[in-house]
Amino acid sequence: MFPQPSTRNQTSFYATSSVSAAALPKPVVFATSGLGGMLGWAVVHPFNTIAVRSNLASASGQTFSLKEMAAKQGWMSLYDGLSAGVMRQVFYATTRFGLFETFRDMLHEYRGKTDFASRVVVGAVTGGIAAYIS
């Protein structure tokens, strides 16, 4: 019923190439890290705004309604404060991901391997550095 795949060149299809991809320059790694963090924050920010406004309303004994908020302040009010969050990501995400790549590569050159535990430690260290900087 179904056509059988050709066995010709099947081994070359699954063979791995001995040519390794060239490493990206460090400025490219840091720039793409920062851009990814900023784009991610632009997507997450409206949901974070809703959560903060809901928590503030419940802390003051009021009820939060997304419909009322949109009617009073408009839907674009979900993006109030976006510039501050994006600016934080310029420093935080750029530092966190850029340093992670750099430190992981340095550790790999030093030890010859990079296991899961060492990546966790590198991630914790670079996250702490990024939090301190931002």
Side-chain angles (χ1 to χ4, degrees), residues 73-104:
Q73 300 171 351
W75 286 105
M76 291 307 292
S77 69
L78 290 175
Y79 287 96
D80 288 348
L82 178 65
S83 60
V86 168
M87 281 305 295
R88 180 177 185 272
Q89 292 302 318
V90 166
F91 295 102
Y92 183 68
T94 302
T95 306
R96 181 175 48 140
F97 293 127
L99 286 180
F100 176 81
E101 295 280 328
T102 304
F103 286 9
R104 184 199 60 202

Side-chain angles (χ1 to χ4, degrees), residues 54-126:
S54 175
N55 288 336
L56 289 173
S58 66
S60 64
Q62 300 173 352
T63 58
F64 175 76
S65 168
L66 184 60
K67 185 177 177 182
E68 280 183 35
M69 186 218 59
K72 288 181 185 176
Q73 300 171 351
W75 286 105
M76 291 307 292
S77 69
L78 290 175
Y79 287 96
D80 288 348
L82 178 65
S83 60
V86 168
M87 281 305 295
R88 180 177 185 272
Q89 292 302 318
V90 166
F91 295 102
Y92 183 68
T94 302
T95 306
R96 181 175 48 140
F97 293 127
L99 286 180
F100 176 81
E101 295 280 328
T102 304
F103 286 9
R104 184 199 60 202
D105 293 346
M106 288 171 46
L107 183 65
H108 184 73
E109 288 176 11
Y110 178 74
R111 293 181 62 198
K113 65 176 184 170
T114 312
D115 57 348
F116 179 73
S118 61
R119 286 191 303 251
V120 168
V121 170
V122 168
V125 168
T126 57

Side-chain angles (χ1 to χ4, degrees), residues 38-54:
M38 289 185 288
L39 180 62
W41 186 254
V43 171
V44 168
H45 184 77
F47 300 104
N48 190 37
T49 302
I50 291 169
V52 167
R53 289 181 183 179
S54 175

Side-chain angles (χ1 to χ4, degrees), residues 25-37:
K26 292 300 177 189
V28 173
V29 171
F30 278 82
T32 55
S33 299
L35 288 173

